[in-house]
Structure formats: C-alpha cells, structure tokens
Amino acid sequence: MMLNEIYQLKHELWLKVLFISFAIQDEKIKSELYDISQIEFRHLKWLGNKLVDENIEYNYERYAIDMVKSTSFECFEYLIHEIQLVMKNYNPDDEIFARMLSDEYYFITRLKRLLIESENYEIAAFNKKRIYNNKDLTKESIDALTMFLFEETYKEYELILIYSYMQNHTKNLTQYNVYQDLIDESQYHLKCFGNMLSIMGILAIPRVVIQELYKRFDVKQFLLDGIEEEKMAKEECRKLSMSVKDDELSKFFEFINYQENYHIELMKKAIRELDCC
C-alpha cells in the first residue's frame, strides 16, 4: 500500500478513536481513549512529515465512517478491529511504523482488558434525544445549541487539518510554533464540543475537508480570512451565550469567546512573520 494511502487510513483511525472517546460515558475510560486518540494524531503528524520529506502528495480525503454503536463493549470491539486492519499495512522495518506497531499493540491490549474489567453499558451518544444533562432548556435554546455544536465541531476539525498541513509545509520556526498553538487550541475545543454532542445524543463525524481549503498558496490571505472567521465565531459565541437560558452554559460560551481573542493574536503574529520574510 502506498504511503499516502496509509495516511488516509491513519486519519480515519484517529477520528474513530477520538469520536468513540466522546461517546463513552465513564470518565476514566473516556480519558484513556482520548489519550490514545492524541497518540494516533501524533502518528499522523509523523507520517505527514515523512510524506513531505519524500515529496509525496497527501490529502484529507476519507471514506464514510460508521461508528454508531449500542454498547460500550461494541465500541471497544470496533476499535480493536479497526486498529488491527490498519496495522496490517505497516512496514515493521521502518522506524516510524515500528513505533506505531508498538503503540497499537498496547492499545489493543488495553481495549481487550476493558472488555474484561469494565461494565458493559448502553451508549447514549447516538440516541438523538437532544437533552443536555437534564437541563430544562427551551426548544429555541436547544435548536441554537444544536446548530452551534455541529458548525463548530466541523470548524475545529477543519482548522486542525489546515494548520497541520500548513505546519508540515513551513520551514519558519515562528510560524510552526503558532500553528502548533492553534492546533492545540482547536483540539481542546473539538473535545469540548464533541463531548457536548455526545451528551445530547447527536454525536457525528464532521464532513470531509476539501483540498481547496488547505492546499493554499496565499497563506497570508488565508490567515487574514481566518481572523475574520474568528471574529464571526466570537459573535456566534456571544449570541449563543445570550440565547441559551442557562448560567452554566452561558459561562462556558463566554470562556470559548475569550479564547478566540488569543487565536486572532496568534494569526496576527504569523502574518507579521510572513511580512518579515
């Protein structure tokens, strides 16, 4: 299998582990699965570096992912199967793949232990009940929250991929570090929104990010556009904070709103670096 084809499989695997971590209700297991997803994302980063070093084009195309499961054990069995399928394509003589194999053999061991040691319970992440922690929200609030979470989940996923691609294609250390900060921030936001979608029973994988969004020649214009998008995101957070009649949720969206301020400053920093070069 070609290296860029393995990259696609790893991209899909990262998403599968990540979104199953959102679906799991047990906080300890959820945390462990999320940590595994972050290691899978690190694998993806290393593989992207290898592709660039070998001058091989790659993209973020992927097949449809059906991860709707009824029980926690079905989730663990699903991940074991998906990891094993991807592992078959590694070259164990390559140091990167040797590391991936070592990690994923351990992941499989942990998932098999969960099948023995944990309780098998019903998964509520896909039941479409649209109830948030038994809060008494109005239909208008629920509709606004639903729309916001779907849009922002896609946006954060999109930004993670775009900034990863740009980071992998820059030789400038300042830009590289700015992109890493933006990736880390979007990872955190995606985690927050994904868990909220799960609580509401409407968890779903975001749509595919098209090549035109990340294979950009005018990086400065992309960043300028990004600043405007962050400003719009801030406004959406503000509106949602006001429309959702719940103090806890309003405070959360105010928190996210203020984080967007620093994202804007990071992008301005990257623009200044581009202007200096």
Side-chain angles (χ1 to χ4, degrees), residues 55-235:
N55 201 29
I56 301 173
E57 282 287 320
Y58 69 94
N59 57 53
Y60 294 129
E61 292 177 7
R62 55 178 170 81
Y63 292 112
I65 297 175
D66 180 11
M67 52 155 219
V68 176
K69 305 300 171 190
S70 300
T71 69
S72 57
F73 278 18
E74 284 183 18
C75 289
F76 305 149
E77 289 165 350
Y78 168 72
L79 291 182
I80 290 168
H81 178 260
E82 295 303 307
I83 292 170
Q84 288 174 332
L85 284 178
V86 177
M87 289 170 72
K88 293 177 181 179
N89 299 285
Y90 299 165
N91 173 11
D93 295 326
D94 185 295
E95 60 184 14
I96 292 178
F97 287 122
R99 164 62 192 268
M100 292 179 185
L101 280 168
S102 175
D103 287 349
E104 290 176 346
Y105 276 127
Y106 176 71
F107 299 160
I108 290 171
T109 299
R110 286 298 305 142
L111 288 162
K112 287 182 177 179
R113 291 304 301 174
L114 291 175
L115 288 170
I116 298 170
E117 297 174 352
S118 68
E119 177 186 352
N120 188 21
Y121 57 83
E122 185 178 345
I123 294 294
F126 312 106
N127 63 22
K128 296 182 171 59
K129 287 188 176 179
R130 294 210 308 157
I131 299 172
Y132 191 84
N133 282 345
N134 296 317
K135 290 183 180 293
D136 187 20
L137 300 176
T138 65
K139 183 181 183 302
E140 290 75 15
S141 294
I142 286 290
D143 288 345
L145 182 57
T146 298
M147 182 66 70
F148 177 87
L149 289 176
F150 276 130
E151 289 180 352
E152 291 302 303
T153 299
Y154 170 75
K155 175 202 159 194
E156 300 300 348
Y157 168 61
E158 176 190 279
L159 289 176
I160 290 167
L161 296 189
I162 292 173
Y163 291 135
S164 295
Y165 191 88
M166 293 170 71
Q167 183 186 57
N168 203 22
H169 287 81
T170 185
K171 302 298 183 184
N172 183 287
L173 181 60
T174 299
Q175 289 180 48
Y176 185 95
N177 288 333
V178 166
Y179 295 144
Q180 187 60 56
D181 282 340
L182 289 165
I183 291 166
D184 292 343
E185 291 282 283
S186 285
Q187 289 271 26
Y188 173 71
H189 287 184
L190 179 57
K191 178 183 178 182
C192 291
F193 299 146
N195 282 325
M196 293 174 78
L197 285 171
S198 177
I199 290 170
M200 293 181 71
I202 51 175
L203 184 64
I205 297 282
R207 64 186 181 274
V208 173
V209 178
I210 60 174
Q211 292 190 39
E212 288 79 3
L213 291 174
Y214 54 88
K215 292 191 175 181
R216 301 283 295 260
F217 295 102
D218 191 343
V219 176
K220 180 177 179 179
Q221 187 58 52
F222 165 77
L223 292 168
L224 289 169
D225 292 343
I227 289 172
E228 293 306 311
E229 288 180 11
E230 291 290 356
K231 290 178 180 177
M232 288 189 287
K234 280 174 54 62
E235 180 62 17

Side-chain angles (χ1 to χ4, degrees), residues 6-19 32-48 79-80 82-87 90 96-97 99-108 111 160-161 164 187:
I6 298 175
Y7 186 88
Q8 177 177 330
L9 293 179
K10 291 291 286 184
H11 176 195
E12 293 167 0
L13 183 59
W14 163 59
L15 282 176
K16 291 168 185 175
V17 180
L18 180 64
F19 276 75
E32 181 173 5
L33 292 182
Y34 183 77
D35 287 345
I36 290 173
S37 79
Q38 295 309 287
I39 296 174
E40 289 291 353
F41 186 77
R42 207 171 303 143
H43 289 180
L44 200 62
K45 179 179 180 179
W46 296 337
L47 200 50
L79 291 182
I80 290 168
E82 295 303 307
I83 292 170
Q84 288 174 332
L85 284 178
V86 177
M87 289 170 72
Y90 299 165
I96 292 178
F97 287 122
R99 164 62 192 268
M100 292 179 185
L101 280 168
S102 175
D103 287 349
E104 290 176 346
Y105 276 127
Y106 176 71
F107 299 160
I108 290 171
L111 288 162
I160 290 167
L161 296 189
S164 295
Q187 289 271 26

Side-chain angles (χ1 to χ4, degrees), residues 16-32:
K16 291 168 185 175
V17 180
L18 180 64
F19 276 75
I20 289 294
S21 81
F22 300 153
I24 294 296
Q25 290 144 270
D26 182 285
E27 288 298 329
K28 184 177 179 181
I29 297 174
K30 175 190 287 289
S31 178
E32 181 173 5

